[in-house]
Amino acid sequence: MAFTIRQLSSSTVPGGIPTCITYPNPAEGLTANFELKSGLLHRLPTFYGLSMEDPNQHLMEFQFICLSMKPHLVDENILKLKACPFSLTDKAKQWLYELPSGHITSWDDMMKAFLDKYFPTSRIIMLRKKISGIQQGVDESYADYHERFKSFLAQCPQHGMKDETLLTCFYEGLTNLERDMLDAASGGSFMDKQPAAGMALIQSRASNQQQYGGIRSTTHEIHGVNEVSTFAHLEDKINKLTSLVSQVVTTKGQTMACGVCSMQGHAADQCPQLMENEGVNAIGFQQGQNRRRNDPFSNTYNEGWRNHLNFHWRDNDNVQGVAPNANYNRAPPSFFQKTQAPLNSTPLNSSSSSSSNNNSDEIIKMLATSNQTLVQGQNLIQNMMEEMEKQLGKWLII
């Protein structure tokens, strides 16, 4: 039967669209005729084909789910081949569709093609360098260092390094203290151990620190915070007390403040303001010595008004020769001159100096108390350090 040009140029493909997967024959006693359940498909991990994703972890999780949900008498490899396309999406699924027809004939072929694409040799070399050059951080615990080492191994199961090489890299990356502790736990030298015994020992040490080291380290951190805050508080108090003592000493070495002008450097009875007023009064007395005694504008202010002809009065009402009802000679109500305290009073100066001495004694007592508290804090820290050394010795023995 001859085909026409239209039939030959049609878009149909004989035998259907070719696929990259060719399913193998099932193993003896197993079947390849089964249906993928929706529960299995919904639990499969998803791989997008991004550079930040871990292809080895995806394959590990995928195999766990397929093994745990495998139907009875179903070939395991065929189940993985059928379920694998449902775990890929976006760029990863497009990559699978672009593989040549019949390129994959077994589950091993699928894993090899997948890892060649998303876990190339350059990435393996990079992780090998991380494993061989691993170093424990200054603030990193032994358990965290061991977990980071295992994480590198899990990310690169294709590292191809032997156990003795891995143990050597792990041992050389430890800090000096942790290396000495590992040697002590080995009963001599860690490098004298067999590879299997060495792997068991580093795992055992990490497990012990995770179980019992967390409480001790947490307690130490809490005490450390308390110690830092306590020392900061004591240091602040000592600084304040030192400042107060220096102020008191400076005040004692200086002249007391004047009671008239509140200035330092001279006594109250030698205040320049008083000296100036006395000079002015003396000059005024000399210039006005010819004034009348009754002049209200004289320097003797109260006496001038008292003896004035029209405004004079007397203190004593019972003066002889004056009638009792003569009110003109009485002093006006509330017209009395207030008495002023002396400018330089000796009791005031003595009281201020005594109060200053009392303040100095109190400050010295406070400073002695703070120093005693600081010494107690240092003794407490010393006891804590001795207790930590004892606990460390017990742990090394274990």
Side-chain angles (χ1 to χ4, degrees), residues 228-301:
V228 170
S229 61
T230 302
F231 273 106
H233 180 65
L234 290 176
E235 185 178 0
D236 184 54
K237 290 182 66 177
I238 291 174
N239 292 335
K240 290 182 179 179
L241 290 173
T242 305
S243 177
L244 290 175
V245 170
S246 62
Q247 291 178 6
V248 170
V249 173
T250 305
T251 304
K252 282 187 174 183
Q254 295 178 353
T255 308
M256 298 297 296
C258 176
V260 178
C261 62
S262 301
M263 299 294 291
Q264 296 180 354
H266 61 271
D269 56 352
Q270 298 178 357
C271 180
Q273 294 186 6
L274 290 179
M275 302 298 291
E276 181 180 357
N277 292 335
E278 290 179 358
V280 171
N281 292 336
I283 293 173
F285 176 76
Q286 293 176 0
Q287 293 178 355
Q289 59 183 354
N290 296 326
R291 292 185 181 182
R292 294 182 301 171
R293 183 178 179 84
N294 300 335
D295 189 358
F297 301 100
S298 64
N299 292 330
T300 57
Y301 180 82

Side-chain angles (χ1 to χ4, degrees), residues 58-278:
H58 173 76
L59 290 177
M60 185 182 299
E61 187 177 358
F62 174 81
Q63 292 183 96
F64 278 144
I65 294 175
C66 289
L67 290 176
S68 61
M69 302 186 69
K70 182 177 76 68
H72 184 59
L73 298 177
V74 170
D75 189 280
E76 177 184 340
N77 292 327
I78 296 177
L79 174 64
K80 293 176 183 177
L81 286 173
K82 288 186 176 181
C84 184
F86 294 96
S87 67
L88 304 178
T89 187
D90 293 346
K91 293 182 178 180
K93 182 168 286 190
Q94 186 65 31
W95 160 81
L96 182 65
Y97 291 159
E98 292 175 356
L99 291 177
S101 177
H103 183 71
I104 297 173
T105 59
S106 64
W107 174 244
D108 292 337
D109 293 341
M110 176 65 80
M111 288 193 300
K112 185 177 182 306
F114 180 76
L115 292 175
D116 287 344
K117 173 63 178 178
Y118 296 106
F119 201 75
T121 305
S122 59
R123 193 167 180 179
I124 296 175
I125 295 174
M126 180 188 65
L127 287 174
R128 282 178 180 172
K129 290 181 179 179
K130 287 185 177 182
I131 295 172
S132 60
I134 188 171
Q135 293 288 331
Q136 184 181 6
V138 178
D139 298 330
E140 187 179 20
S141 64
Y142 175 85
D144 294 338
Y145 173 72
H146 183 261
E147 288 295 325
R148 186 158 58 92
F149 181 74
K150 291 195 305 181
S151 176
F152 289 157
L153 297 182
Q155 293 178 24
C156 186
Q158 304 91 335
H159 53 77
M161 303 170 70
K162 297 181 180 180
D163 290 345
E164 55 269 22
T165 306
L166 295 175
L167 291 172
T168 302
C169 296
F170 180 86
Y171 179 77
E172 291 179 352
L174 290 169
T175 60
N176 295 331
L177 177 61
E178 291 292 345
R179 193 181 300 118
D180 294 340
M181 295 174 67
L182 187 60
D183 289 335
S186 303
S189 176
F190 175 75
M191 300 304 292
D192 293 337
K193 289 281 186 181
Q194 297 292 329
M199 285 290 185
L201 179 60
I202 63 174
Q203 178 64 42
S204 176
R205 271 204 64 200
S207 300
N208 290 337
Q209 190 178 78
Q210 288 176 349
Q211 293 295 326
Y212 302 103
I215 299 176
R216 185 164 56 248
S217 62
T218 304
T219 305
H220 175 67
E221 289 176 0
I222 294 174
H223 284 298
V225 173
N226 292 335
E227 292 165 8
V228 170
S229 61
T230 302
F231 273 106
H233 180 65
L234 290 176
E235 185 178 0
D236 184 54
K237 290 182 66 177
I238 291 174
N239 292 335
K240 290 182 179 179
L241 290 173
T242 305
S243 177
L244 290 175
V245 170
S246 62
Q247 291 178 6
V248 170
V249 173
T250 305
T251 304
K252 282 187 174 183
Q254 295 178 353
T255 308
M256 298 297 296
C258 176
V260 178
C261 62
S262 301
M263 299 294 291
Q264 296 180 354
H266 61 271
D269 56 352
Q270 298 178 357
C271 180
Q273 294 186 6
L274 290 179
M275 302 298 291
E276 181 180 357
N277 292 335
E278 290 179 358

Side-chain angles (χ1 to χ4, degrees), residues 365-384:
K365 291 180 181 179
M366 292 174 62
L367 183 60
T369 304
S370 300
N371 290 334
Q372 185 178 4
T373 306
L374 180 61
V375 171
Q376 292 177 357
Q378 292 177 350
N379 294 334
L380 177 61
I381 294 176
Q382 183 65 27
N383 295 334
M384 291 177 59

